[in-house]
Amino acid sequence: MDFTRVTATGLLAQLNAGATTSVEVVRGYLDRADRLGRLNVFVHLEPEAALAQARVIDGKRRAGERLGPLAGVPVAIKDVLCVEGEPTTCGSRMLKNFRPPYDATVIARLKAAGAILFGKTNMDEFAMGSSTETSAYGPTLNPWDESRIPGGSSGGSAAAVAASLAPLALGSDTGGSIRQPATLCGITGLKPSYGRVSRYGLIAFASSLDQVGPFGHDLADIALLLGVIAGRDPMDSTSVDAPVPDYAATLDAPPDTLRIGLVREYFGEGLDPEIEAAIREAVRVYEAAGATTKEVSLPHAKYGIPAYYIVAPAECSSNLARYDGTIYGHRAEDFSPRSPGEEDLPPMIRMMMASRAEGFGAEVKRRIMLGTFALSAGYADQYYNQALKVRRLIRDDFDAAFKEVDVLLIPTSPTAAFKIGERIEDPLAMYLSDIYTITTNLAGIPGLSVPCGLTRSGLPIGMQLLAPAFAEENLLRTARVFERATDWHTRRPEIV
Ligand code: GLN
């Protein structure tokens, strides 16, 4: 089987027709993972565990038992999701030895759907970053150009799909971590509406922004995986009890109307001209397919990055307080006083300080300090509460725009994949990678990134489509109009 041409939907057809078995498929992917180990996609992959799941599914298929919608299909999992009994590190030294005692809800749903859990993928530490370079386990390489980053924080999951190490993957997106790596790796990725997918068992970064979502090569695969993971979960009170449409079945129905908004503020300074040209070309594709396009404005979008870098660190400083070596996380062995004054502290406090100092990397520490400052007495009004007001204004901007159009078409990333090492010493440059993705999380609406071109040097370009909250069905259908008219989603890196 030519794994570089496989999609999950195609694979299911072959499995159901008896043309192949899940064991054969898993063996093929394991073989590729072996050969492409240099990409550093997986932080944990247990061949025997994957094969054992495949054997069970093959047995059920042979016996004619009823099978779930992903029966026998490998899915790579970002290492931020809890899998019972398996290492779940969040890309951090802090959780190096953590084996969760339970499954995240999305993992339980994958298992029930018959999916094969195919490895845990590399990521920026605690999902903080845009390049997968803040991982304690080293960077993942971009399959299109191994001197470049795959994007982040779900870089391992995006690279897994791009390099055909799995047909599907799960990621998480707090400010762009599904859409930006999807774009830089030339694949499709969706951040669902806040509340569409359960966060139970997703290790929290910023709880009011985090959302789990799918990576795949095309929209049929995205629709399939979204259908499996979406829906109300009593274990997550922020998951919404809205009906889950059969996204895969309705994908090819034409969108109700095709009114596309181009956001004025998102076509300007900082946007690479090659990317702008690819997006403008996509607009022409839509117009040729009968869409009406019009310019709309998100006047507060420019405050998205500053508001996010208050809200997200504030929530992270609180969420990450639990990792102090007592119950959760790395525990320092040596916590003798390290600097003057520490000898007066109780040993337990010194143990926590040393454990956190050793367990967390530089970016996580920076966020914790920023967040603690923004929430501290006397500053909360000036920073945190102000940021919440800006967040509200950003949401209102989107509401106003969606009165005029059905979807917004914008870039996903201002540049194509950058070089490993290029931005890691410059946090502000790194933070600007998410300029087009962050407002979506602040507003809670869905964002979908689809491939729409290649740069002259052969790097993938993606575009982003945004829709009102819970309008994923129409969002996917709108994207499908573009997919049908182009072949960017079929391009693969030259990696064997
Ligand atoms: N790059 C952004 C950050 O570092 C977004 C990360 C994410 O979505 N998890 O916060």
Side-chain angles (χ1 to χ4, degrees):
M1 183 181 305
D2 177 4
F3 282 93
T4 63
R5 305 266 37 111
V6 165
T7 63
T9 313
L11 195 57
L12 277 165
Q14 290 200 44
L15 287 166
N16 288 332
T20 186
T21 64
S22 186
V23 165
E24 202 178 315
V25 169
V26 166
R27 284 218 177 95
Y29 280 118
L30 286 171
D31 184 48
R32 285 184 68 79
D34 239 12
R35 268 187 291 134
L36 297 175
R38 65 179 189 279
L39 297 178
N40 198 26
V41 160
F42 295 105
V43 289
H44 179 73
L45 175 61
E46 231 169 86
E48 261 323 303
L51 284 166
Q53 298 171 65
R55 274 185 214 107
V56 171
I57 297 291
D58 283 345
K60 287 188 178 173
R61 196 172 251 118
R62 266 196 307 274
E65 282 180 40
R66 251 194 83 184
L67 296 170
L70 286 174
V73 176
V75 183
I77 311 292
K78 185 180 184 181
D79 208 21
V80 69
L81 288 162
C82 289
V83 178
E84 187 185 342
E86 299 227 0
T88 299
T89 69
C90 245
S92 182
R93 228 182 331 267
M94 187 54 103
L95 289 178
K96 196 167 183 184
N97 299 316
F98 178 52
R99 285 178 188 253
Y102 66 96
D103 279 332
T105 297
V106 292
I107 298 297
R109 290 191 180 188
L110 284 186
K111 287 181 175 174
I116 312 292
L117 301 187
F118 196 77
K120 302 298 285 293
T121 61
N122 199 15
M123 55 182 281
D124 280 299
E125 186 177 11
F126 283 98
M128 296 170 200
S130 304
S131 65
T132 315
E133 290 167 288
T134 73
S135 167
Y137 306 101
T140 294
L141 315 185
N142 189 314
W144 293 80
D145 176 345
E146 294 176 25
S147 69
R148 292 175 189 271
I149 55 94
S153 63
S154 316
S157 283
V161 173
S164 303
L165 297 170
L168 292 172
L170 283 184
S172 65
D173 190 314
T174 306
S177 279
I178 292 175
R179 292 159 286 157
Q180 185 255 17
T183 290
L184 304 194
C185 287
I187 61 168
T188 301
L190 170 71
K191 181 204 87 76
S193 312
Y194 186 78
R196 181 71 293 188
V197 177
S198 169
R199 291 181 298 110
Y200 180 70
L202 166 70
I203 295 179
F205 160 13
S207 310
S208 77
L209 302 161
D210 298 341
Q211 194 63 197
V212 181
F215 287 102
H217 279 297
D218 61 24
L219 294 161
D221 282 12
I222 293 286
L224 178 67
L225 184 49
L226 178 65
V228 169
I229 60 173
R232 165 86 183 142
D233 172 16
M235 299 303 280
D236 172 7
S237 61
T238 64
S239 69
V240 171
D241 196 5
V244 179
D246 187 342
Y247 299 108
T250 60
L251 184 61
D252 275 307
D256 317 327
T257 54
L258 201 47
R259 294 175 306 160
I260 295 180
L262 307 172
V263 179
R264 184 177 313 135
E265 290 80 3
Y266 283 158
F267 290 90
E269 206 194 331
L271 177 60
D272 184 297
E274 274 192 273
I275 297 192
E276 172 157 5
I279 309 282
R280 300 267 180 214
E281 181 54 35
V283 173
R284 280 189 284 278
V285 169
Y286 271 114
E287 284 169 346
T292 57
T293 52
K294 92 187 257 193
E295 197 174 81
V296 297
S297 173
L298 300 176
H300 299 93
K302 58 177 176 288
Y303 304 117
I305 296 254
Y308 173 88
Y309 277 99
I310 297 293
V311 173
E315 294 184 22
C316 123
S317 70
S318 158
N319 276 325
L320 272 60
R322 74 192 72 170
Y323 307 110
D324 59 16
T326 39
I327 298 177
Y328 292 111
H330 166 81
R331 181 180 294 186
E333 279 173 19
D334 172 13
F335 42 92
S336 46
R338 294 180 187 199
S339 46
E342 278 189 24
E343 57 283 347
D344 300 332
L345 295 172
M348 176 148 154
I349 298 295
R350 286 206 312 265
M351 183 279 284
M352 292 177 176
M353 287 170 67
S355 299
R356 286 169 71 83
E358 289 174 10
F360 289 135
E363 183 60 31
V364 171
K365 286 178 184 163
R366 179 166 25 243
R367 306 278 178 115
I368 291 173
M369 287 189 279
L370 270 172
T372 307
F373 178 77
L375 286 176
S376 56
Y379 289 105
D381 259 345
Q382 226 171 319
Y383 294 105
Y384 184 66
N385 293 334
Q386 282 295 99
L388 291 186
K389 287 182 196 159
V390 172
R391 183 176 187 175
R392 180 63 202 228
L393 292 171
I394 289 174
R395 217 171 71 197
D396 293 347
D397 281 358
F398 278 113
D399 284 348
F402 288 129
K403 289 209 170 75
E404 299 181 55
V405 294
D406 308 304
V407 296
L408 301 176
L409 196 170
I410 61 173
T412 310
S413 163
T415 63
F418 44 93
K419 292 269 187 195
I420 292 173
E422 194 179 310
R423 296 189 193 166
I424 192 70
E425 303 299 338
D426 183 351
L428 284 184
M430 190 70 89
Y431 295 173
L432 286 173
S433 312
D434 301 307
I435 188 151
Y436 305 124
T437 48
I438 260 170
T439 44
T440 317
N441 302 74
L442 289 167
I445 61 174
L448 173 68
S449 183
V450 296
C452 71
L454 289 174
T455 65
R456 274 186 296 278
S457 51
L459 296 172
I461 302 175
M463 66 180 190
Q464 208 185 162
L465 292 164
L466 312 180
F470 295 94
E472 277 86 354
E473 195 183 0
N474 195 51
L475 178 63
L476 291 165
R477 279 152 68 179
T478 304
R480 183 78 182 111
V481 171
F482 180 78
E483 199 183 64
R484 257 201 305 261
T486 56
D487 68 354
W488 298 111
H489 61 287
T490 65
R491 307 294 178 97
R492 303 284 184 272
E494 281 169 24
I495 198 166
V496 279

